[in-house]
Amino acid sequence: AALHTAQPATFPTWFVSTDITKPDAAQLLTQAVKSGAKGFGELKYPVAADGAEMRRVYAMAADLNVPVMIHFQEIGQPAAPGGYNTGIKRFATMLKAYPKTKFIAHADAFWANVSADYHEQEAYPTGPIVPGGVSDKLLADYPNLFADMSANSANNALSRDADFTKGFLARHQDK
């Protein structure tokens, strides 16, 4: 914040994140947006994606008209133990409940679920993708969901099956 205040052109405010389980989270997120932040995220906390804490975030994002980037992780990893924003397979309920919120899905549980045969067996599955995965369906069915491709999880998913990826990118090129 101090760098942004001193040199806003050099250090632009982009997204903001804070521990959403803390009592002052709503105040901090709101103030950051009022100070120039363009969205919430990457939100990576050990909560359910459809839990009370995240529901508050989704409502605030809609009210402030900013997107929220969510780190979906079901399986612990050495660099990121535990689960974060768990419950991607139940997430359609949130997309329906918060139609004015712009969601950006990110991380291994979102990208592993492009395949219909994914059952949380590993963070970075390999091999051909079975059409009909949760993530592909959510992107198709909900105009308020977008996908972040910046992490290894997206690279892993999109590198697994060239034929699937070609169709996936064509279907969701604007998302």
Side-chain angles (χ1 to χ4, degrees), residues 25-42:
Q27 178 185 352
L28 289 170
L29 291 170
T30 300
Q31 185 56 49
V33 170
K34 289 181 179 180
S35 296
K38 305 298 183 208
F40 298 158
E42 161 189 2

Side-chain angles (χ1 to χ4, degrees), residues 88 109-114 133-140 145 168 172:
I88 183 70
F110 176 79
W111 285 106
N113 273 289
V114 296
V134 171
S135 301
D136 196 10
K137 184 165 177 34
L138 292 175
L139 284 167
L145 178 65
F168 180 86
H172 306 301

Side-chain angles (χ1 to χ4, degrees), residues 2-64:
L3 289 173
H4 170 71
T5 300
Q7 301 177 41
T10 305
F11 298 100
T13 304
W14 186 235
F15 275 36
V16 61
S17 186
T18 191
D19 186 342
I20 51 108
T21 65
K22 302 290 184 190
D24 62 348
Q27 178 185 352
L28 289 170
L29 291 170
T30 300
Q31 185 56 49
V33 170
K34 289 181 179 180
S35 296
K38 305 298 183 208
F40 298 158
E42 161 189 2
L43 296 181
K44 184 177 180 180
Y45 298 97
V47 296
D50 57 355
E53 300 94 347
M54 293 304 289
R55 288 174 185 255
R56 282 191 294 276
V57 169
Y58 306 151
M60 282 190 321
D63 289 344
L64 295 168

